[in-house]
Amino acid sequence: MMNHGISDVWQRVLGTQQAPPHWLVLVCAGGALLAMLPHPVWRVSRNVVTIAHEGGHGLAALLTGRRLHGIRLHSDTSGLTVSSGRPTGPGMVLTAAAGYTAPPLLGLGGATLLAFGHITALLWLCTALLAVMLPRLRNAFGLLTVLVTGGAFFAVSWWGTEQLQAGFAYLGVWFLLVAGVRPVLELQAKRRRGGARDSDADQLARLTGVGGLLWVALFLVIALSCLLAGGSQLLGR
């Protein structure tokens, strides 16, 4: 019985699921916008973007051979990823650039999985990534945020109906795609007021000699491109 149950689970994870009705895809897109636009709601939902942002820094640090010391997620939706290694060079540049690009790129990757019908696989992959992030967290709020988010993904993937899984997956991917744009705009607004001198864009400016505004523009182009490409896949399936 147990082997049969495990076999069924793996068939669900590795197999494909039927596309949800078009109205559900549109409702999820609207829900993602509602989770991003009103400021009080954004104060809560932005924590998901922060998880992806700091996770991007951490993953880039590991992939480029840097030593990752820890990740902190704060209640004001800010975060901090600490790594050590060469203070300059491609590894440091990629690590610094990975934050603002991670949410939209994750959204695009998720949209591609959904376009091929891998709804359950997407939910399990997100759960696994959050589980891998847990040992790197260095504060209680960060642990709580990732545990709650990962628990939601696991619960839906394990107990949710096919339609609930589809709605949750599409809502999450839409949110990463649309919400990947707003932090970039907020970053430039802070820079214009002189309040973000140690931002990722300004660190990259010091590392590369390329102006911070150009890095912000690059972040925005990537976010908008992912939104266009990912949205087309979600709507076109």
Side-chain angles (χ1 to χ4, degrees):
M1 286 291 290
M2 183 176 293
N3 289 337
H4 181 69
I6 293 174
S7 175
D8 288 343
V9 170
W10 278 112
Q11 285 180 12
R12 286 175 56 198
V13 173
L14 299 178
T16 59
Q17 290 76 44
Q18 185 176 359
H22 197 64
W23 66 263
L24 181 59
V25 178
L26 295 176
V27 167
C28 290
L33 286 172
L34 288 176
M36 183 193 73
L37 294 179
H39 185 70
V41 179
W42 176 240
R43 288 276 299 184
V44 177
S45 63
R46 197 184 194 281
N47 286 291
V48 175
V49 181
T50 304
I51 292 173
H53 181 112
E54 299 304 330
H57 283 312
L59 179 61
L62 291 173
L63 292 177
T64 56
R66 298 180 61 80
R67 184 178 179 184
L68 179 60
H69 295 287
I71 298 172
R72 290 178 176 270
L73 308 174
H74 303 133
S75 58
D76 63 355
T77 72
S78 65
L80 177 66
T81 300
V82 179
S83 65
S84 60
R86 287 187 59 191
T88 58
M92 188 62 203
V93 171
L94 289 173
T95 299
Y100 282 97
T101 57
L105 288 174
L106 285 172
L108 179 58
T112 302
L113 282 174
L114 293 180
F116 284 95
H118 295 292
I119 296 173
T120 304
L122 171 66
L123 297 174
W124 276 60
L125 179 60
C126 291
T127 305
L129 289 174
L130 290 166
V132 169
M133 191 176 181
L134 273 176
R136 305 289 183 175
L137 295 167
R138 296 295 181 265
N139 67 326
F141 183 81
L143 283 168
L144 177 62
T145 303
V146 173
L147 278 172
V148 169
T149 307
F153 274 98
F154 176 77
V156 171
S157 67
W158 192 261
W159 291 293
T161 64
E162 285 191 6
Q163 192 166 57
L164 177 60
Q165 289 188 18
F168 193 81
Y170 273 78
L171 177 62
V173 169
W174 271 120
F175 180 73
L176 286 175
L177 289 172
V178 299
V181 177
R182 181 166 176 174
V184 180
L185 300 177
E186 292 176 342
L187 169 63
Q188 184 53 30
K190 288 181 181 178
R191 293 184 72 252
R192 198 163 49 239
R193 297 192 299 267
R197 295 180 180 177
D198 289 323
S199 70
D200 294 351
D202 292 281
Q203 291 183 45
L204 286 163
R206 291 191 289 270
L207 286 167
T208 64
V210 177
L213 182 59
L214 291 178
W215 283 105
V216 174
L218 177 61
F219 295 158
L220 185 59
V221 168
I222 290 173
L224 291 173
S225 299
C226 289
L227 175 57
L228 179 61
S232 298
Q233 292 187 82
L234 295 176
L235 293 172
R237 188 188 171 196

